[in-house]
Amino acid sequence: MKDKNHKWCCTWASICFRVYVAIIKFECTVCASNSSHIAPISASIEGDVMLGGLFPVHQKGDGDIPCGIINADRGIQRVEAMLYTLDRIRKDNTILNGITIGATIFDTCARGTYALEQSLEYIRASFTSTDASEYVCQDGSKAEAKEEPKTVAGVIGGSYSTVSIQVANLLRLFKIPQISYASTSAQLSDKSRYEYFARTVPPDTFQALAMVDIVKAFNWTYVSTVASAGEYGVPGIEYFQKEAAKRNVCLAETLKVSTNPTSAEYDTIIDILVKKNNARVVILFLREEDAKGLLDAATNKKISGKFTWIAADGWGTQQSPVKRNEQAAEGALTIILQATVIPEFDEYFLGLKPSTNHRNPWFREYWSNIHSCLWADPVNPITDPSVKLCTGNEVLSRTRYQQESKVQFIYDAVYAIAHAIDRLTKDHNICQSKHKKCEEHHRIKGAELKEYILNTTFDDGYGAQVKFDKSGDAFGRYSIMNYQLDRETRQYEYKKVGSWVSSLDLDIESIVWTGGTKDIPISRCSTPCNFDEMKHVGEDGDMCCWICIKCQPFEYLADEYKCKDCGEGRWPTENRKSCFALEEQYMEFNTVYAIVPLALSGFGIMITMLVIITFLRYNDTPVVMASGRELSYMLLTGCLFCYLMTAILLLKPSQITCATQRFGVGFGFAIIYSSLLTKTNRISRIFDSARRSARRPPFISPKSQIVISIILVSLQVLFTVIWLVLEPPGTRLYFPNGKRDEVILKCRTEDLSFLVSLIYNIILIIICTFYAIKTRKIPENFNESKFIGFAMYTTCIIWLAFVPIYFGTLNSFQVQITTLCVSISLSASVALVCLFTPKMYIIFFQPEKNVRKLTMMMNSMHRKTISETTQSKFSNSIDVHNSIDNGNSPAELIRLNVQHFAAKFNADSTTETVPATEKDSLASL
């Protein structure tokens, strides 16, 4: 930036040097020819301190002609506004203390180059006072100007930003402060390039912000822009685009009007805009003439009512753009600087006459234009009778005059520099003599005056506080106008519908849109997505054109273009903006799913405890002893353990409860079915051994049976420990049916793994069932095999039903856990009821049978006489009967009696006929 500024300064220094040399040469030429220097036309007032003024008195000319027709409002009114303000300051006793301010005002013709030429007059004094003495004419005389130019303390102007930029680059080289009343280009806020520039109007950045606020107020997300080439339109629209992008407003088209556009160019712009059918709002940063050209093209193409225009102050409230384009412009929202009419200026201006207004050299031309007349020319008299001649007595009525919007800003600019000069002169004691003409104006330094201007603050008396920020800019305040048809007068007019001062304030109800409707137009490429949908942008990358894709039920809207998974155990809120933790579900004791298995378990525990207490009470009775007391107590312990597992299974899953469940279920079943397997195996071995020999089979003592049962249970314990090591206990979150909105807290073990852990118990059940079938016909007097068979058949049915029910209820954890609890309790209850009910019945209801004697019925011995051989074989049995009363063990009794039946069977087969029922019974053994 520093190098760029240096290059810029060098370029202008070179230009100024060449101008300086040209002026000196011109002055010498004048001296030699004894002719006078011809100064440009200017409006002037003499004063102690002089100001410069730059106004577009004439419009821009065509081609090589620099100036066009008179600019009635933006030219003459603005010139008179400065002259009027100077008059007010001279009459104001509160400032300047007798110092008079004069002015020299030039016409810029709305051209930067032409304005630059006129501005050279402001720096001629610098050349003359510095170096003119060093030059002499050819005849030896000193080069002197006819009228020595006066140094200007500051310049008011210009109007267009292009003019102000070029003039500011020149004036900064000579440290001449400049205050503009209309230039709004954002470039002029750069104090590194335009440090001597200030303005009473805000920069276009504020105007662009106001336009973005309007767009967002109506939820328009897809708009087009058209800007004029140059320092006004391009920077303004670029700032709008920047702010629009921040607020997710997309641009369908960004078009630019060239410096010298043709009607064909405007037609092309309209054609391009029409192609973007969804972008019905068009943002305009155009000069007045470009706004007119665009509306003319829209009218010619008969697309009135197609677009809603949002226009900057280049269009503002000007009548030129909308003339004959009323329908095309209807509904437009335009922005103008918020200004107050100065009533005293109206009186001043309406009182002006060509005969008395000698300080404004362009006023006669204005008068001729406004009254459509011509001034009489004595040299070339007008002979055409149809031509109206001006008399100077025409009346300037309010129907032909309306105060221009920048009058207040010109008034503020002149007063701002007057306040700065007043403070500077007082602080430096310049021109403080009340009775002497000020001769010290040259002591007013531009660098010092600039600082005083930037620090000036005052109320102008018309509702505005004049002050500047550090960039020399005024603060933004705008009025929002709506071009609409007045229903009473049936005339189109600009109506104020809002304002913008830091923020937007709109009366939406008073706005009439294009086509005369009250319905707010829609300008978006795609309709807004619902709260649970994300935007999917196409491959072309147009962020304003999308399709809406619904988020998954478990996803929230991370931003408008992305759905994001809430994660396990979390669920999106209703507005899909965030997630919350779902409540984890687990079995609770106050539900029917827990009450039923708890009731069944509790009842089973009571019955089991009753049996245990009864067996302890009748521990030495034959019924208890004949059932195998040790294995019976072990079996009862297994039943009790299974019943207690219901409470463990209903607890909230945790590392401890899950480990206890995995160990306890298999362990309880292992105790029950290991006891039953040991018992049925013992019975089977005793009867098989008795058939083959009289020797007692091994490992049938109570101690041996306990050891065998413990070994079988230990295998289950070993398998469970290995399982716990390979798959450590813990919890997991389960989502039934993939429903992420329902979170169930379960043990980490998979359901299939849980079933696999019971395989060992299933093997025990199968073996027990096999032995139960094998020993089903052993006489009931000696063993409980029939009841064991009933228990195992029922257990198989329960387990066969449990497996499909368990896996069929995976999506209902309550039913699944209830099924498991009930199945465990039923398995324990079957063993408890089938094996211990007969014994409890004898103990409580038939105590007479609970005695030590052999109860096996041998009906065949009363019917026939057996042979001697048979009798000798049965002698051992008789000994057995005798030994029963001597305290032999139930196992020994079973073995000896089986030998007795086997001997009887063999004898009958050789000598006698055995009864059919008894024979079948023996054969089954």
Side-chain angles (χ1 to χ4, degrees), residues 259 332 453 476 534 773:
T259 305
I453 291 174
M534 70 173 182
I773 294 174

Side-chain angles (χ1 to χ4, degrees), residues 117-131:
E117 293 176 11
Q118 305 298 302
S119 300
L120 291 176
E121 293 296 321
Y122 297 141
I123 62 174
R124 287 181 68 242
S126 300
F127 290 130
T128 303
S129 61
T130 305
D131 299 317

Side-chain angles (χ1 to χ4, degrees), residues 433-638:
S433 176
K434 295 184 180 181
H435 305 289
K436 277 179 69 176
K437 183 178 180 181
C438 178
E439 299 290 347
E440 302 174 303
H441 58 82
H442 60 277
R443 289 177 55 193
I444 298 177
K445 304 298 182 182
E448 294 178 348
L449 181 60
K450 177 199 69 171
E451 297 301 326
Y452 278 92
I453 291 174
L454 295 180
N455 292 316
T456 295
T457 301
F458 64 95
D459 290 325
D460 66 357
Y462 297 100
Q465 185 184 41
V466 180
K467 63 180 180 178
F468 305 94
D469 62 16
K470 62 181 180 179
S471 298
D473 298 329
F475 293 90
R477 60 183 194 274
Y478 299 97
S479 295
I480 312 299
M481 312 300 290
N482 178 221
Y483 190 68
Q484 59 180 249
L485 178 66
D486 191 314
R487 296 187 177 182
E488 295 181 359
T489 63
R490 307 306 298 173
Q491 296 293 323
Y492 285 95
E493 62 180 17
Y494 293 99
K495 180 180 178 181
K496 184 177 178 180
V497 294
S499 62
W500 190 93
V501 181
S502 299
S503 61
L504 184 65
D505 181 20
L506 271 181
D507 181 9
I508 298 177
E509 296 299 324
S510 64
I511 299 176
V512 177
W513 300 102
T514 178
T517 179
K518 287 284 188 178
D519 298 330
I520 300 175
I522 297 174
S523 186
R524 60 173 68 101
C525 184
S526 301
T527 57
C529 293
N530 294 327
F531 70 96
D532 59 347
E533 295 176 336
M534 70 173 182
K535 298 176 181 177
H536 177 69
V537 180
E539 295 181 356
D540 57 357
D542 192 342
M543 301 302 290
C544 275
C545 298
W546 62 79
I547 58 174
C548 296
I549 299 178
K550 193 176 184 65
C551 296
Q552 293 294 328
F554 50 82
E555 293 179 330
Y556 73 99
L557 214 58
D559 55 51
E560 56 184 338
Y561 301 103
K562 185 188 299 182
C563 292
K564 194 172 182 180
D565 193 336
C566 283
E568 290 189 348
R570 295 177 63 80
W571 197 253
T573 56
E574 288 189 14
N575 60 6
R576 291 298 181 105
K577 297 298 183 182
S578 60
C579 300
F580 66 94
L582 286 168
E583 183 180 358
E584 295 175 352
Q585 300 184 46
Y586 48 86
M587 289 295 288
E588 297 181 359
F589 289 95
N590 59 351
T591 63
V592 66
Y593 297 100
I595 293 174
V596 171
L598 281 174
L600 182 60
S601 172
F603 183 73
I605 291 173
M606 291 173 56
I607 297 301
T608 303
M609 293 302 299
L610 176 62
V611 174
I612 291 174
I613 293 172
T614 301
F615 266 51
L616 291 174
R617 172 69 178 79
Y618 297 94
N619 189 53
D620 295 325
T621 61
V623 170
V624 175
M625 295 176 63
S627 63
R629 288 176 297 183
E630 295 78 6
L631 290 179
S632 295
Y633 286 129
M634 191 172 184
L635 195 149
L636 288 169
T637 302

